[in-house]
Amino acid sequence: MSLNDSYGLVILAGLANILMIWGPGLILGHGTGLRGWPLTATAPLLGYAVAGLCGPLTTWLGIPWGAWTYCGSTLVLAVLAYLLRRLWRGRDEPLGSAARWQRRDHRIAIAGVAIASVAGALIIALGTGGLTHLPQDWDAPFHANGIRYIADTGDGSFTGMGMINWYETGGTFYPNAYHLVAATVYNITGAPITIVMNAQMALLPAMLALALLGLLHRFRVRALTCSFTVLVAVSSVSVIYDQLWRGPLTPFEIASILSLAFVLLAVMVLDERRIGTGAALVLAAVGLLTLQPSGLFTAVLYLLPILLGRWLKIPRRTWRELGILATAGVASIVISLPFISGLLSSASEAPGITWDKHFPFSQSVGSLLTYQFLSEHPQIWLAIPLWIGLIRFKNLRDARWILGGSLIFACLFILTMSYNGSTLVVALSRPWWNDQYRLLALAVLPLSLVAGHGLTETGTAIAALLRKVNALRRAAFAIAFSVVFLAFFVLTKGFYHSVNAAAIAFRYGNGPTVSNLEYQAMEHLRSVVRPNEKVMNDRYDGSAWMYAISGAHPVAGHFSDNQVGAAPSLLMDHFDEYDADARVRSAVRQLNVKYLMVEKGFVRNTNQRAHGLRHLDRVRELHPIYHNRDATIYRIEDGRHGT
């Protein structure tokens, strides 16, 4: 594939991702009665809700998942939402509204969203080699193989995408809304899975900017503060970029960002009491569950302080609003019962994780206040606006309650960073895998509002000084905020693009898990491996990627060996005893293994070659058919198992 072809596919995949993420959500959101900023802010979450709800349902009905199924499901749900609103007409009780912005305010907000979306996408592109490099970390082949499997088979069930690794046990439960949407993009464009995944990641800043803007608009925050807030959010390394080399944790990141859209819908339901918005809230809960269940936990903790603020201000509405939210919760549970059943079963089997302690208490607090998380130096030009915003905190008025969620996650971050040996800490943080860096991202995200507010307050102070000069009085506002924006851009050296891109690039590129030569070897499998044949491979080298890259089914389709079945485990430990062990030959016949692939790269530098692949010279009927410096492919030619 030429460089021009690669970038053409990147553009095509990017456009297709925009269409498949926002398109269904805009149609469904319009059907529920959403308009304006709330519609654009919540559209991605509603789009994922359509996929997450209807993918398993259509598979159960015998309808394969694909772009047409996705579109048809969207239209059905949009019509049902519209009919529900028609039947309920006259019972809605509009009680509140968002800020009434002037035309200039909307232009400022649009400019902020556009700059943040483009800047964030460019940072991600820089970190991923123009969105073409392969992610090298733990979660990547699982997501990539799952996307390819759904696209190839149309199986949108909760367990289907796990069939590449857990085929012996009938798959494994996993939330698949992200993968269902990506599978439609893959089918439409034919772009490599890596480009499909990276192009979807490049839209994270746009999702974040719109979700933040929609929520802040509801709380009557100034348009300038909204714009500065989204610029701060896409400049912070921990909010988006740190999660993209770890894994990448794209489903978690999408769910975390779109939890803000859920909070927006919840506040709208309580303010307006419209049945259409209530239906959108129920679907949003389903969307978060099927993207990544931790996203719903995040949304609830972001929402709780906001509810507390509402009820302290007007206590008499507490019980009625609790009833509204409880009704929406029950409806969400009923719709999601099959998913919740699988989730509970999966959660009961998952062990708790305890990470190493990193910082003492004081250093954990200091890291939050100075934006110093991953580098030797703090992101000081985000920290200074944060300090100014904290000094002028009271001017945020009702929007101050949004920061309650930041306080909750900051406490969890500090606990896991400083006291992670505690059983209580592990239990409290389990929905987020007890992971300090995920909790850090969730704490820093709402803090962006305080830093954005600090920039606005700085601009306001400068404008007040300029108005004292008669010649500058009329242009004071424009001059002041142009100066603040340009100063922020220059001092952060382009929204800290080099720091943020470097954080992503740490696990993207030519190795260590999959080198360019190993990628070429896996592409070669496409021409030799027939359907239903499997390729023996090492679980911890990069060959787990082979299905996503070539369609060839590996014995080990992911780095995890938990509950993969007896035959794959036996081969991983004893394949090189093939000539002497009848059990090994039986497992090879059972799995229909015809080829073997070994690579040099491993997912972790502590990994070593699987025990069963250390003495391949013992296997007489292994014949090399492809070799380069980093990978070798063998054909197994033994009449005793039918070759």
Side-chain angles (χ1 to χ4, degrees):
M1 185 187 301
S2 70
L3 190 63
N4 289 335
D5 289 340
S6 294
Y7 287 131
L9 287 172
V10 165
I11 294 171
L12 182 61
L15 294 174
N17 268 301
I18 292 171
L19 178 64
M20 291 291 104
I21 293 172
W22 268 272
L26 289 172
I27 294 170
L28 178 55
H30 197 274
T32 65
L34 296 174
R35 302 290 186 271
W37 288 115
L39 177 59
T40 55
T42 59
L45 181 53
L46 294 177
Y48 283 116
V50 174
L53 178 64
C54 296
L57 177 60
T58 54
T59 296
W60 181 70
L61 293 172
I63 304 170
W65 180 258
W68 289 112
T69 311
Y70 190 17
C71 294
S73 300
T74 300
L75 292 176
V76 169
L77 289 177
V79 169
L80 289 175
Y82 174 76
L83 292 176
L84 178 63
R85 286 171 52 221
R86 295 281 295 182
L87 291 172
W88 200 266
R89 178 174 289 181
R91 304 185 199 181
D92 290 328
E93 305 174 33
L95 296 178
S97 61
R100 292 184 178 275
W101 283 351
Q102 302 299 316
R103 183 174 297 177
R104 183 184 69 173
D105 296 319
H106 286 287
R107 288 173 178 168
I108 291 171
I110 291 170
V113 168
I115 294 170
S117 300
V118 172
L122 288 174
I123 289 169
I124 293 171
L126 283 173
T128 58
L131 306 180
T132 63
H133 287 175
L134 182 142
Q136 302 282 335
D137 208 48
W138 187 272
D139 299 51
F142 175 70
H143 294 315
N145 289 337
I147 292 167
R148 175 75 183 257
Y149 177 83
I150 294 171
D152 286 352
T153 66
D155 182 357
S157 67
F158 294 128
T159 58
M161 60 170 287
M163 289 295 289
I164 301 305
N165 191 50
W166 289 274
Y167 48 87
E168 280 258 290
T169 54
T172 185
F173 175 87
Y174 198 84
N176 64 352
Y178 160 77
H179 310 85
L180 289 163
V181 173
T184 64
V185 174
Y186 175 75
N187 276 336
I188 290 172
T189 63
I193 293 290
T194 52
I195 289 179
V196 170
M197 293 170 66
N198 291 341
Q200 191 162 164
M201 286 196 321
L203 297 177
L204 287 172
M207 295 184 204
L208 174 60
L210 287 168
L212 263 175
L213 187 78
L215 181 60
L216 298 183
H217 177 250
R218 169 58 49 171
F219 278 85
R220 302 173 182 272
V221 175
R222 292 176 64 182
L224 277 164
T225 301
C226 292
S227 289
F228 281 130
T229 296
V230 299
L231 292 175
V232 169
V234 300
S235 301
S236 169
V237 67
S238 62
V239 172
I240 295 178
Y241 313 111
D242 180 44
Q243 310 302 315
L244 299 184
W245 74 263
R246 303 174 189 275
L249 304 177
T250 312
F252 168 83
E253 189 68 15
I254 294 172
S256 299
I257 287 170
L258 296 182
S259 66
L260 299 174
F262 176 92
V263 174
L264 167 61
L265 288 171
V267 173
M268 289 180 64
V269 166
L270 299 180
D271 282 346
E272 301 175 1
R273 298 178 188 170
R274 295 182 183 275
I275 190 64
T277 312
L281 177 63
V282 170
L283 290 170
V286 174
L288 289 178
L289 278 173
T290 55
L291 265 169
Q292 184 52 258
S294 65
L296 188 56
F297 286 98
T298 299
V300 169
L301 291 189
Y302 279 162
L303 180 61
L304 284 177
I306 294 171
L307 295 176
L308 179 62
R310 293 173 64 91
W311 298 338
L312 287 175
K313 186 176 182 180
I314 307 177
R316 67 175 182 273
R317 63 186 179 187
T318 302
W319 292 108
R320 183 166 187 179
E321 291 189 353
L322 276 172
I324 293 171
L325 293 174
T327 302
V330 170
S332 302
I333 290 171
V334 170
I335 292 174
S336 305
L337 271 177
F339 179 88
I340 293 172
S341 175
L343 177 64
L344 292 175
S345 174
S346 176
S348 66
E349 298 171 357
I353 301 174
T354 302
W355 305 91
D356 293 336
K357 300 176 186 177
H358 287 277
F359 296 160
F361 177 83
S362 59
Q363 192 173 355
S364 298
V365 175
S367 67
L368 282 167
L369 295 177
T370 60
Y371 280 84
Q372 184 172 1
F373 312 118
L374 300 170
S375 60
E376 295 180 4
H377 305 289
Q379 291 184 296
I380 193 66
W381 298 110
L382 302 182
I384 290 174
L386 175 66
W387 303 337
I388 296 171
L390 288 172
I391 293 170
R392 305 287 292 176
F393 186 64
K394 66 178 182 179
N395 288 356
L396 282 172
R397 299 175 182 171
D398 287 347
R400 289 177 293 180
W401 291 98
I402 296 174
L403 279 303
S406 184
L407 181 61
I408 292 171
F409 283 107
C411 290
L412 286 172
F413 163 70
I414 292 168
L415 288 171
T416 56
M417 228 6 148
S418 306
Y419 307 103
N420 209 11
S422 164
T423 303
L424 177 60
V425 172
V426 171
L428 289 173
S429 58
R430 182 164 180 163
W432 302 274
W433 292 269
N434 319 110
D435 185 347
Q436 298 99 326
Y437 292 101
R438 299 189 208 211
L439 294 167
L440 173 63
L442 299 175
V444 173
L445 177 53
L447 280 180
S448 302
L449 169 59
V450 182
H453 174 57
L455 290 170
T456 304
E457 290 292 298
T458 302
T460 301
I462 294 173
L465 291 174
L466 292 176
R467 287 192 185 99
K468 294 179 180 180
V469 180
N470 288 335
L472 300 176
R473 183 171 298 170
R474 299 185 68 178
F477 177 89
I479 294 172
F481 283 98
S482 296
V483 167
V484 171
F485 170 77
L486 289 173
F488 180 75
F489 179 80
V490 171
L491 292 171
T492 60
K493 297 182 179 179
F495 310 116
Y496 285 110
H497 71 278
S498 59
V499 172
N500 295 330
I504 302 172
F506 176 64
R507 292 291 283 186
Y508 278 80
N510 186 16
T513 311
V514 178
S515 69
N516 294 339
L517 289 174
E518 289 166 345
Y519 191 101
Q520 291 173 19
M522 285 186 273
E523 284 190 314
H524 181 76
L525 291 171
R526 185 183 297 119
S527 64
V528 297
V529 180
R530 292 178 292 183
N532 301 319
E533 293 179 343
K534 287 189 176 62
V535 181
M536 181 62 200
N537 64 313
D538 192 320
R539 186 168 297 282
Y540 294 107
D541 70 20
S543 58
W545 269 92
M546 71 174 69
Y547 182 78
I549 292 170
S550 69
H553 195 151
V555 169
H558 185 43
F559 307 121
S560 172
D561 61 357
N562 184 41
Q563 299 181 336
V564 295
S569 298
L570 175 69
L571 294 182
M572 210 59 60
D573 292 334
H574 301 285
F575 180 84
D576 57 11
E577 300 170 29
Y578 180 86
D579 290 353
D581 193 331
R583 296 177 307 152
V584 175
R585 293 195 298 274
S586 175
V588 167
R589 288 195 299 270
Q590 175 189 332
L591 300 182
N592 198 28
V593 178
K594 303 292 186 180
Y595 297 89
L596 165 68
M597 181 174 189
V598 289
E599 299 181 356
K600 286 187 176 180
F602 289 91
V603 66
R604 297 284 185 264
N605 57 16
T606 55
N607 293 137
Q608 296 179 346
R609 181 66 62 206
H611 285 285
L613 299 177
R614 293 182 181 179
H615 303 286
L616 295 178
D617 55 315
R618 296 175 180 172
V619 184
R620 293 190 302 271
E621 297 303 328
L622 278 181
H623 298 275
I625 61 171
Y626 178 93
H627 175 76
N628 63 38
R629 189 174 62 250
D630 290 349
T632 303
I633 301 171
Y634 301 87
R635 179 183 291 114
I636 305 172
E637 296 181 353
D638 188 340
R640 286 175 294 179
H641 68 279
T643 54

